[in-house]
Amino acid sequence: MKILRIDVKDSTKHQGLRNQLIDVLAQKGITDRGVLAAIQRIPRHLFLDSSFEDFAYQDKAFPIGAGQTISQPYTVAFQSQLLQVKKEDKILEIGTGSGYQTAVLVAMGAKVYSVERQLELFKKTSTLLPQLGIRPKLLTFGDGYKGLPNYAPFDSIIVTAGAPFVPQALMAQLKVGGRLIIPIGEENQVMTELIRINEKQFEKYEHGDFKFVPMLENKN
C-alpha cells in the first residue's frame, strides 16, 4: 500500500511545478490537506505521454490513448476531497485510466481496488504503478458497471467517467455511511455524491457541472 519511492525522472523542476499547481488548486477551493499533499507528491508527468511532459502541471486534461483522458488536477482533487478519505479506507475506483487518481488515493493512505475496461490502459497502468512504487490492493480488467462484488463492501466508491445513471451494483457495494462520488449525465455531467444512510436509503448531493469521457460497458 505504501509508496516506496518516487524518484523516476522526477526533477527539482517538476517538484517546483507541482508546488505551483498546489497553489492553483488551493485558490480554486481545495482545502483538504491530505489531497494537496498527495498531489504535491505524485509526479503527474510520468502518467502522460512524453510529448505532454512540459504541460503536465497545468490544470488541464490530456489524452492518454484508447479514447480516454487523464482528468485535470482540479477534478482529481475535487473528487478526492468529496471522498473524505481516511487512512486505511477501502475504496473502489471505477476507471483506472492513467492510474493518476489511483496514485493520489494510495498516497492518501487508502486501500484502492481499481477497475479498468480498456485493456490497453489496464496493461500500461499495471506496469507503471509498480515502477513508481505505488501499490493499490487490486488493479483489474473488467466492467465498471458491475463493480467488484467479491471485495465489497467499500468505505467509498469513486467513478472517473461520465455515467448515464447510477449503477445499482455500485450502490449495493457501498457500506452504510459510505460515499459514492459519480459524475452523472450524457454530454456534461453533474458531480453527484450519494451517502448510504441504511440498507435501503441514500442521501444525494450535487456539486456542479463537469465533463468526463463516457463510462462504457462490455466493449472489449
Side-chain angles (χ1 to χ4, degrees), residues 61-143:
F62 293 103
I64 55 172
Q68 305 299 300
T69 61
I70 181 174
S71 293
Q72 71 182 89
Y74 174 73
T75 301
V76 172
F78 189 80
Q79 285 195 284
S80 300
Q81 181 166 275
L82 286 177
L83 284 175
Q84 299 187 24
V85 179
K86 299 184 292 295
K87 288 191 184 301
E88 302 300 311
D89 270 0
K90 185 179 176 183
I91 297 180
L92 172 60
E93 179 191 32
I94 303 301
T96 316
S98 68
Y100 180 66
Q101 174 75 78
T102 316
V104 168
L105 294 175
V106 171
M108 293 178 70
K111 298 177 180 177
V112 183
Y113 296 72
S114 191
V115 182
E116 174 55 52
R117 57 161 290 287
Q118 294 278 6
L119 187 58
E120 172 188 341
L121 293 180
F122 169 70
K123 289 179 177 178
K124 184 176 180 181
T125 302
S126 297
T127 300
L128 175 64
L129 290 178
Q131 289 177 346
L132 300 179
I134 299 168
R135 305 191 186 283
K137 292 291 287 186
L138 179 71
L139 288 179
T140 188
F141 172 66
D143 183 353

Side-chain angles (χ1 to χ4, degrees), residues 36-74:
L36 294 172
I39 289 177
Q40 199 281 331
R41 188 174 184 184
I42 300 298
R44 186 175 187 248
H45 62 281
L46 298 180
F47 293 83
L48 293 164
D49 186 278
S50 59
S51 61
F52 293 109
E53 181 174 340
D54 291 343
F55 310 102
Y57 297 104
Q58 295 180 9
D59 192 21
K60 295 180 180 178
F62 293 103
I64 55 172
Q68 305 299 300
T69 61
I70 181 174
S71 293
Q72 71 182 89
Y74 174 73

